[in-house]
């Protein structure tokens, strides 16, 4: 290119630059307008309140939901308290924590033992009386005694649950799991809930309803742990200084985790499985110290149970001793399996995953129907429970008449027919020398039915049709029995149902497999448990501890992995579905894909309530009475600071205590030194279960309302905070992993107000996010990962 051309092209280049600038000005204006519109939308959103549901169905009643303060409040008073502690106090704290873990294990094991003792004796007495009537050929009288005793037991369980503690209905595992996630539902760990859970579970399980006692044992263990770990009680004179160390949500959370592990250990005599169950299914936060304490707690359970069972083996426990405390020994010295045994096991896993997903879907639909019935009143709840009890009694007594009598084997492992006790060969209506195989399953407790299904060397004991009838009946009875107003669990019914289905498959492939029918029953239980509850490691260990057969480990692992993988393609696990149905705001351990498209500023709602470092009493009272917020940012402004500065976060409970103590000053000034003389750290410790102070209970004069409170010594000076441009997915990870209740959102550009808003648990709920951004719903439906098969109900 020549010099002339260079000189000629210079003006042209300048004109092109001017033209491009002129063309870009409308684009810049458009971008500014869009930014202004987005800012207006954000301002409107921040001025709007959170309209998502903050109540849930617990015990078939709507109740308010609060979050737990797992974060330690690091204010000046807290730091002063810990600086003043001596080594002896730290030793006391550690000693008391281990002591409480021992007491949790001890009491849970006692409750578990006496639960089984009561169920075996009550249900056993009922079956003995009914069997005697059958022997006398008084069949109608036997049915009346059987059904009326079942109805009386179910009615008693539903009455005490409905009128004393509705929170004790169901298994309680969803509520405990939500609590360990940070959700505090009222009265789920109260003394009356514990009482109803124990007594109601004994009565309901003894009434031959197809429910289990493992789930209620988890809730019972959590109740015992929460009550022991609430840091004493002034009402009962338990104000010993040592136990006041645990007046905080963080320590109570650890105790409840140990209690849930102890509950599973007591229900199945599976101490290691209990620890893994708490780790895999229950706890949202875990640490090595908690692992040690949970293991210690379940070890105490195992030792105490072993000692108590030795007493029963001497024949001092009535009908208990040969039954109860689930332990199904299927050990066989000649167990061997080969490569051609694997395809039937894989088939078990696939079918178990499909059946587990179907089970969850149907149970969710039934619970919705039951909720509509329960909303009509207590009478309808009790009538529903009685109706299920009558239907169950009719099926359990009537279906064995379909089965034909079978001759006793030539060399039975126990007396045949079985008369007056539990066993494999129930006589029912059969002539001497014969037994009714269907009655051996129906006319027993669930524990004894599982033993019969798991038993070895009984391949010729049951007929194909009997096993199919038993499977279908258990499948639907366990679904319809769970939602009644009584303590009920799902573990044992799923084990029974899975065992019957597994044994049926074993009958079909017996000519092509070396595994006996009892081992197929064990694998069937594992497959249905994995398909319904979606646990792997803990279920594997629990089943191994139940059956005392380590040789089955590879096959159980294979079945659980396949069933869980297949079922995950359709829906979530059963406890997550129940939590969702009850409205419990559970935070998952993963974020939804659309959360990465949003920032925390996109979901912040208002109005934001602020307090100054030195605030007027009347303002505090007004805000507390007109809002339900549990945390408030504290901002310092001139003359206490050169510019607006975020001082920290103060809790509602602490403000109520300040008003109750009337720690006021006549003029707006800081009073750091006087705070330590007027207050102790124990004054701000969390009260026992459901005993917090309320602003409505505080009366102040007009003169006191015009005074001031210095909030600086009581403000958490190091609250967790994020910039408003952080992605919502990243903020969710921080919120859940740390166990927060409040997450402050600060502006990206400083100079104005130092805090934009506060994120709480409900701000991360999909319902709230999709309500603010409905356009995201389209992308969710397009990118849904799970298979959308036709509704299960339409296929039935």
């Amino acid at each position: 290119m020549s010099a002339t051309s260079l000189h000629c092209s210079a003006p042209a280049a300048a004109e092109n630059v001017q033209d491009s600038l002129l063309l870009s000005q409308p684009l810049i204006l458009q971008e500014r307008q869009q930014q202004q519109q987005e800012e207006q939308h954000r301002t409107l959103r921040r001025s709007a309140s959170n309209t998502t549901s903050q109540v849930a169905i617990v015990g078939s009643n709507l109740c308010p939901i609060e979050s737990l303060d797992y974060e330690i409040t690091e204010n000046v008073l807290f730091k002063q308290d810990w600086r003043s502690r001596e080594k002896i106090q730290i030793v006391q704290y550690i000693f008391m924590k281990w002591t409480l873990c021992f007491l949790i294990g001890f009491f849970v094991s006692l409750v578990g033992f006496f639960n089984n003792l009561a169920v075996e004796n009550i249900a056993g007495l009922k079956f003995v009386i009914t069997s005697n009537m059958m022997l006398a050929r008084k069949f109608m009288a036997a049915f009346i005694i059987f059904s009326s005793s079942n109805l009386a037991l179910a009615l008693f369980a539903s009455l005490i649950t409905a009128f004393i503690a509705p929170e004790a209905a169901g298994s309680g595992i969803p509520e405990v799991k939500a609590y360990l996630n940070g959700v505090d539902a009222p009265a789920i760990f109260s003394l009356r809930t514990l009482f109803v859970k124990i007594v109601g579970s004994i009565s309901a399980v003894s009434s031959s309803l197809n429910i289990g006692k493992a789930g209620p044992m988890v809730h019972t263990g959590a109740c015992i742990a929460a009550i022991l770990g609430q840091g004493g009680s002034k009402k009962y004179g338990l104000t010993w200084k040592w136990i006041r160390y645990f007046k905080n949500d963080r320590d109570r959370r650890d105790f409840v985790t140990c209690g849930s592990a102890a509950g599973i250990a007591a229900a199945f005599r599976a101490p290691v499985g209990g620890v893994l169950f708490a780790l895999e299914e229950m706890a949202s936060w875990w640490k090595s110290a908690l692992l040690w304490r949970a293991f210690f707690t379940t070890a105490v359970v195992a030792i105490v149970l072993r000692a108590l069972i030795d007493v029963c083996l001497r024949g001092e426990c009535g009908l208990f001793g040969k039954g109860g405390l689930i332990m199904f020994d299927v050990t066989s010295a000649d167990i061997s399996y080969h490569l051609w045994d694997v395809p039937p096991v894989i088939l078990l896993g696939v079918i178990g995953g499909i059946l587990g997903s179907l089970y969850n879907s149907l149970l969710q639909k039934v619970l919705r129907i039951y909720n509509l019935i329960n909303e009509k009143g207590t009478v309808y709840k009790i009538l529903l429970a009685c109706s299920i009890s009558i239907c169950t009694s009719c099926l359990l007594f009537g279906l064995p008449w379909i089965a034909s009598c079978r001759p006793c084997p030539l060399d039975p492992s126990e007396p045949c027919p079985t008369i007056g006790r539990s066993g494999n060969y129930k006589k029912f209506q059969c002539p001497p020398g014969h037994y009714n195989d269907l009655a051996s399953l129906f006319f027993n407790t669930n524990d004894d039915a599982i033993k019969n299904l798991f038993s070895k060397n009984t391949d010729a004991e049951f007929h194909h049709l009997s096993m199919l009838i038993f499977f279908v009946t258990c499948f639907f009875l366990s679904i319809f029995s769970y939602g009644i107003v009584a303590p009920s669990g799902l573990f044992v019914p799923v084990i029974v149902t899975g065992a019957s289905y597994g044994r049926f498959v074993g009958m079909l492939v017996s000519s092509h497999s070396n595994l006996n029918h009892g081992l197929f029953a064990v694998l069937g239980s594992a497959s249905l448990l994995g398909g319904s509850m979606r646990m792997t490691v803990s279920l594997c260990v629990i089943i191994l501890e139940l059956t005392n057969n380590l040789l089955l480990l590879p096959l159980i692992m294979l079945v659980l992995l396949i069933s869980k993988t297949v079922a995950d393609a359709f829906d979530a696990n059963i406890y997550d579905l129940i939590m969702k149905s009850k409205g419990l705001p559970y935070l998952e351990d993963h974020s939804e894909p659309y959360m990465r498209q949003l920032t925390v500023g996109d979901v912040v709602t208002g109005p934001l309530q602020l307090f100054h470092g030195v605030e007027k009493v009347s303002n505090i009272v007004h805000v507390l009475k007109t809002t339900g917020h549990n945390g408030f940012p504290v901002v310092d402004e001139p003359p206490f600071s050169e510019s607006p500065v975020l001082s920290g976060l103060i809790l509602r409970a602490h403000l109520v205590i300040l008003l109750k103590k009337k720690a006021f000053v006549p003029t707006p000034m800081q009073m750091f030194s006087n705070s330590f003389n007027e207050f102790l750290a124990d004054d701000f410790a969390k009260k026992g279960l459901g005993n917090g102070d309320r602003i409505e209970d505080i009366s102040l004069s007009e003169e006191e309302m015009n005074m001031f409170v210095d909030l600086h010594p009581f403000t958490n000076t190091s609250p967790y905070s994020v910039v408003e441009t952080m992605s919502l997915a990243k903020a969710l990870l921080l919120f859940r992993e740390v166990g927060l209740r409040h997450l402050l959102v600060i502006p990206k550009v400083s100079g104005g107000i130092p805090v934009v808003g506060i994120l709480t648990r409900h701000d991360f709920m999909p319902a709230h996010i999709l309500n603010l951004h409905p356009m995201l719903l389209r992308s969710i439906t397009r990118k849904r990962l799970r298979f959308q098969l036709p509704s299960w109900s339409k296929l039935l």
Side-chain angles (χ1 to χ4, degrees):
M1 186 178 291
S2 62
T4 307
S5 64
L6 283 173
H7 286 294
C8 292
S9 62
E15 291 177 0
N16 291 335
V17 170
Q18 292 175 355
D19 291 340
S20 63
L21 288 173
L22 290 173
L23 291 172
S24 64
Q25 284 180 355
L27 296 176
I28 295 173
L29 291 175
Q30 290 179 3
E31 290 178 358
R32 289 178 178 174
Q33 290 176 354
Q34 290 178 356
Q35 291 176 356
Q36 290 176 355
Q37 290 177 355
E38 290 178 0
E39 188 63 31
Q40 289 176 355
H41 287 309
R42 289 186 180 182
T43 304
L44 290 173
R45 188 163 55 245
R46 290 168 187 169
S47 63
S49 60
N50 189 336
T51 58
T52 53
S53 174
Q54 301 198 18
V55 294
I57 301 173
V58 179
S60 300
N61 290 327
L62 287 177
C63 67
I65 292 297
E66 298 286 348
S67 293
L68 296 165
D69 294 295
Y70 290 152
E71 181 189 2
I72 295 177
T73 300
E74 294 184 347
N75 53 32
V76 176
L77 192 63
F78 166 83
K79 295 175 182 177
Q80 182 69 20
D81 174 65
W82 274 94
R83 279 198 296 264
S84 64
R85 286 197 177 183
E86 300 176 356
K87 289 185 178 180
I88 184 62
Q89 292 177 301
I90 298 175
V91 172
Q92 289 173 355
Y93 171 80
I94 297 173
F95 174 77
M96 281 302 301
K97 203 161 191 178
W98 284 99
T99 301
L100 287 177
C101 288
F102 171 81
L103 293 176
I104 291 169
F106 180 76
F107 286 121
V108 171
S109 59
L110 288 181
V111 171
F113 175 78
F114 287 109
N115 269 12
N116 284 276
L117 182 68
V119 169
E120 286 294 318
N121 282 280
I122 295 173
L125 181 63
K126 175 186 64 179
F127 285 121
V128 166
I129 296 174
T130 307
S131 297
N132 292 335
M133 300 297 294
M134 297 286 290
L135 287 174
R137 315 297 291 179
K138 298 178 180 179
F139 301 125
M140 183 56 67
F143 171 71
I144 293 174
I145 292 174
F146 180 71
S147 58
S148 60
S149 59
N150 287 341
L151 179 61
L153 290 168
L155 178 62
F156 175 73
S158 61
L159 283 173
I160 63 173
T161 304
F163 288 106
I164 299 178
E167 299 81 12
S171 70
I173 290 180
E175 287 83 0
V176 177
K177 185 176 179 180
Y179 179 88
L180 295 177
N181 189 257
V183 179
D184 186 18
I188 60 171
F189 295 142
S190 64
L191 273 173
R192 56 187 176 85
T193 301
L194 175 61
F195 168 77
V196 172
K197 204 73 180 185
I198 296 173
V199 178
S201 176
I202 293 172
S203 181
V205 174
S206 301
S207 68
S208 292
L209 290 171
N210 195 13
I211 56 178
K213 50 185 179 279
M217 272 306 303
V218 174
H219 194 182
T220 299
C223 286
I224 293 173
I227 292 170
L228 288 176
Q230 70 174 347
S233 171
K234 292 182 179 179
K235 180 179 180 181
Y236 299 103
L238 300 175
T239 56
W240 193 21
K241 183 178 179 180
W242 285 21
I243 58 179
R244 294 206 304 266
Y245 292 147
F246 306 111
K247 284 183 175 292
N248 61 83
D249 289 329
R250 183 182 289 259
D251 283 325
R252 291 175 193 167
R253 176 191 69 188
D254 292 347
F255 288 135
V256 169
T257 304
C258 294
S260 63
I264 285 292
F268 294 122
R269 270 202 284 171
V272 179
V275 175
L276 294 175
F277 173 80
L279 169 62
E280 183 177 7
E281 180 64 18
M282 304 300 293
S284 296
W285 297 279
W286 198 264
K287 54 187 177 182
S288 58
L290 181 57
L291 176 66
W292 275 102
R293 293 191 183 95
F295 184 72
F296 172 72
T297 306
T298 57
V300 172
V301 172
I303 294 170
V304 174
L305 284 179
R306 182 69 266 174
L308 294 173
I309 290 172
D310 287 339
V311 176
C312 287
L313 292 178
R314 297 198 295 265
E316 300 176 9
C317 296
L319 296 173
F320 182 79
K322 294 185 178 180
L325 271 180
I326 306 171
M327 188 66 178
F328 315 114
D329 191 352
V330 294
T331 302
S332 179
D334 57 350
I335 287 181
S336 62
Y337 44 87
H338 305 283
L339 187 61
W340 54 83
D341 294 317
V342 175
V345 174
I346 294 176
L347 179 65
L348 273 177
V350 173
I351 299 178
I354 297 174
L355 286 176
S357 176
L358 173 62
Y359 185 91
N360 293 359
S361 178
L362 291 176
L363 181 58
Q364 191 178 21
K365 295 180 185 301
V366 169
L367 289 179
R368 290 175 184 170
I369 297 173
Y370 282 5
N371 186 44
L372 296 176
I373 298 174
N374 293 337
E375 286 178 351
K376 296 183 178 180
T378 304
V379 175
Y380 289 89
K381 297 179 185 179
I382 297 172
L383 287 176
L384 176 63
C386 293
S387 301
I388 297 298
S389 175
I390 294 172
C391 292
T392 301
S393 297
C394 292
L395 290 173
L396 297 187
F397 193 90
L399 288 176
W401 293 86
I402 299 175
S404 59
C405 294
R406 299 168 64 87
C408 291
L410 298 177
D411 53 344
S413 57
E414 59 181 76
C416 179
T418 303
I419 299 175
R421 62 180 181 84
S422 61
N424 281 27
Y425 305 102
K426 283 285 185 179
K427 186 176 184 299
F428 206 65
Q429 89 289 5
C430 294
H434 292 71
Y435 71 97
N436 189 315
D437 61 342
L438 202 51
S440 300
L441 299 174
F442 277 131
F443 226 60
N444 264 322
T445 61
N446 280 336
D447 293 359
D448 290 329
I450 295 173
K451 289 178 182 178
N452 294 344
L453 292 170
F454 282 5
S455 58
K456 55 191 176 184
N457 302 324
T458 56
D459 287 2
E461 181 178 337
F462 300 100
H463 191 271
H464 294 72
L465 182 60
S466 299
M467 195 56 57
L468 183 61
I469 293 173
F470 183 71
F471 162 69
V472 174
T473 306
C474 287
F475 187 86
F476 288 101
L477 276 183
S478 62
I479 291 174
F480 285 99
S481 300
Y482 177 76
I484 64 173
V485 58
S488 55
L490 290 172
F491 254 103
V492 175
V494 171
I495 291 176
V496 175
T497 307
S500 58
Y501 133 75
R503 194 165 183 115
F504 180 74
V505 172
M507 292 176 177
L508 297 179
V509 301
S510 58
S511 59
H512 305 286
S513 176
N514 292 330
L515 300 178
N516 63 59
H517 296 175
L519 298 180
F520 269 104
V522 175
L523 296 175
S525 295
S527 69
L528 194 57
L529 283 170
S532 176
M533 300 180 181
R534 315 293 162 82
M535 292 177 279
T536 52
V537 180
S538 58
L539 283 180
C540 182
V541 175
I542 288 173
I543 293 173
L544 291 177
E545 290 182 291
L546 274 176
T547 58
N548 194 25
N549 194 345
L550 194 60
L551 296 175
L552 284 177
L553 176 61
L555 298 181
I556 293 176
M557 293 174 64
L558 180 63
V559 162
L560 286 172
L561 288 171
I562 294 175
S563 61
K564 182 185 185 305
T565 303
V566 172
D568 278 339
F570 298 103
D571 53 25
N573 76 66
I574 186 60
Y575 296 126
D576 287 350
L577 292 176
I578 293 174
M579 276 195 300
K580 184 178 179 181
S581 299
K582 290 191 172 187
L584 297 169
Y586 183 85
L587 288 180
E588 298 288 349
D589 57 356
H590 62 275
S591 59
E592 298 292 339
Y594 60 81
M595 290 185 179
R596 299 196 175 276
Q597 305 174 26
L598 301 172
T599 64
V600 294
D602 294 327
V603 297
V604 170
T605 57
L608 178 64
Q609 298 289 346
L610 296 173
F611 285 130
H612 297 98
V614 179
E615 186 61 77
K616 194 173 183 180
V617 174
S618 59
N619 292 340
I620 298 176
V621 173
H622 173 74
V623 171
L624 293 182
K625 286 186 175 181
T626 56
T627 67
H629 303 330
N630 287 281
F632 303 91
V634 178
V635 176
D636 276 333
E637 294 182 344
F640 299 106
S641 64
E642 295 181 358
S643 60
V645 176
L646 177 63
S647 178
L649 182 78
I650 190 165
L651 299 180
R652 181 188 193 91
H654 294 181
L655 289 170
V656 172
I657 293 170
L658 291 176
L659 296 176
K660 184 178 179 180
K661 292 278 188 176
K662 299 185 178 180
F664 309 146
V665 291
T667 57
M669 58 184 298
Q670 295 185 0
M671 300 290 290
F672 275 94
S673 58
N674 292 342
S675 300
F676 304 114
N677 298 328
E678 297 180 16
F679 294 97
L680 297 175
D682 187 60
D683 294 331
F684 294 91
K686 187 167 183 178
K687 302 295 187 296
L689 301 173
N691 295 323
D693 295 319
R694 300 186 308 162
I695 183 63
E696 291 79 9
D697 300 330
I698 299 174
S699 59
L700 299 172
S701 64
E702 185 176 352
E703 181 183 359
E704 290 170 336
M705 294 285 279
N706 291 322
M707 299 180 77
F708 296 86
V709 180
D710 182 13
L711 303 180
H712 291 98
F714 316 101
T715 300
N716 183 2
T717 56
S718 56
Y720 286 89
S721 59
V722 295
V723 183
E724 61 179 335
T725 54
M726 177 183 282
S727 71
L728 190 61
K730 195 173 181 179
L732 172 61
L733 182 64
L734 171 66
F735 193 93
R736 189 185 189 276
E737 292 299 322
V738 180
L740 301 179
R741 183 175 187 175
H742 308 100
L743 184 60
L744 296 182
V745 180
I746 59 176
K748 182 179 180 180
V749 180
S750 61
I753 186 172
V755 58
V756 173
I758 298 181
L759 290 178
T760 61
R761 173 176 298 269
H762 292 279
D763 294 312
F764 292 100
M765 292 294 107
H768 171 64
I769 298 171
L770 297 176
N771 182 45
L772 294 176
H773 304 279
M775 295 297 294
L776 294 173
L777 200 57
R778 298 180 182 176
S779 62
I780 294 173
T781 54
R782 286 198 304 265
K783 299 178 181 179
R784 193 178 297 274
L785 296 178
R786 288 189 171 123
F787 299 116
Q788 295 299 305
L789 297 181
S791 176
W792 293 114
S793 58
K794 295 178 182 179
L795 299 177
L796 298 177

